[in-house]
Amino acid sequence: STMADSPDTMRLNRYLALAGLGSRRACEGLILNGEVEINGNITTNLATQVGPRDVVSLNGKEISASKFQTIVLHKPPGVHCTKSDPKGRPTVYKLLAPQHKKLHYVGRLDADSEGLLVFTNDGDLTQQLTHPSHKVEKEYIVTLDKPCRSERVAELLEGIQLEEGLAKAAAIHVISPRRMVIVLEQGMNRQIRRMFAHMGYEVERLIRVRIGNLTLPDLKMGKWRVLEPRDIAKLSETYQGGRK
């Protein structure tokens, strides 16, 4: 058998990590300590593969890996939110590990924007994060090409008419004349850039730092990490009626 994951088997440490028992490295420790059994036999071999019919237990207690996977990426600017780009431009999927290529992104960021991007294969979570009725807050740090007067800031809160309807910010915190934090509950395409363009400003930098209760983790640009079950629970708490 090879070390690589085949479609229906996976490395034991990955299985344990997906079951919420910690990072893969922490899970390797559990295996090496002899705390993990497969089908009733203790295994300390890190290369062990787990298949769909295997029963895995930790200290005698059966565990199961979640079939759902959710990861967060710190998207760099200049990278496109698309599966494949006909022009051969860099895409977010080039930054992910092979086993994450089937995940879909939730709430895209345009090529020039950066920051928090969630990928998942969990349909409920996708619905919770994207359905307009949930009014999930998304927070951005915006840098403009020139100072923005306070009466223009007020216009963003009142709303600006775009083709799809009234685009408005839910909250704004001014950091400096050219920088502000903007919270949106809507999700129109390129909304912040278009709102400012409408007022004669150009957005020089746009970073998404929060979706619901999930903030951009301390990740270097271009890096990703798997969300632990507690992070996903935090993301679900954002909604009334989220899975308890």
Side-chain angles (χ1 to χ4, degrees), residues 66-73 83 93 96 99-107 117-130 227 232 235 243:
S66 164
K67 58 183 181 298
F68 294 129
Q69 225 185 359
T70 303
I71 64 172
V72 289
L73 170 73
K83 266 280 196 269
Y93 285 92
L96 304 184
Q99 70 265 26
H100 298 141
K101 300 285 196 238
K102 290 200 177 68
L103 303 179
H104 54 257
Y105 48 83
V106 180
L117 191 58
V118 174
F119 292 78
T120 190
N121 56 0
D122 182 339
D124 284 349
L125 186 63
T126 303
Q127 170 79 358
Q128 285 176 352
L129 291 178
T130 55
L227 285 188
I232 297 168
L235 207 46
R243 284 168 297 177

Side-chain angles (χ1 to χ4, degrees), residues 29-48:
L30 297 173
I31 298 166
L32 294 171
N33 284 344
E35 295 178 52
V36 180
E37 295 178 3
I38 297 188
N39 306 325
N41 302 311
I42 289 175
T43 178
T44 53
N45 176 0
L46 295 180
T48 303

Side-chain angles (χ1 to χ4, degrees), residues 74-78 109-116 139-146 173 175-182 190-194 196-197 201-209 216 219-222:
H74 185 165
K75 179 193 170 301
L109 283 170
D110 59 62
D112 306 328
S113 302
E114 52 196 280
L116 179 63
E139 187 176 309
Y140 301 83
I141 299 173
V142 181
T143 307
L144 301 175
D145 60 338
K146 55 180 184 272
H173 168 67
I175 303 169
S176 72
R178 284 180 50 217
R179 285 184 78 215
M180 60 187 80
V181 176
I182 296 193
R190 296 177 67 88
Q191 181 168 345
I192 289 177
R193 292 179 190 279
R194 288 167 60 208
F196 278 108
Y201 297 91
E202 195 182 322
V203 172
E204 285 188 349
R205 194 170 182 198
L206 183 64
I207 310 169
R208 182 159 62 202
V209 292
L216 184 63
L219 274 180
K220 286 198 169 63
M221 207 182 273

Side-chain angles (χ1 to χ4, degrees), residues 140-189:
Y140 301 83
I141 299 173
V142 181
T143 307
L144 301 175
D145 60 338
K146 55 180 184 272
C148 185
R149 299 197 309 280
S150 52
E151 61 270 22
R152 305 310 306 262
V153 172
E155 280 178 53
L156 296 166
L157 291 164
E158 282 153 29
I160 289 171
Q161 200 62 48
L162 299 178
E163 290 142 49
E164 305 95 306
L166 195 65
K168 56 199 261 186
I172 297 180
H173 168 67
V174 177
I175 303 169
S176 72
R178 284 180 50 217
R179 285 184 78 215
M180 60 187 80
V181 176
I182 296 193
V183 177
L184 293 184
E185 289 178 346
Q186 300 167 303
M188 295 178 187
N189 191 28

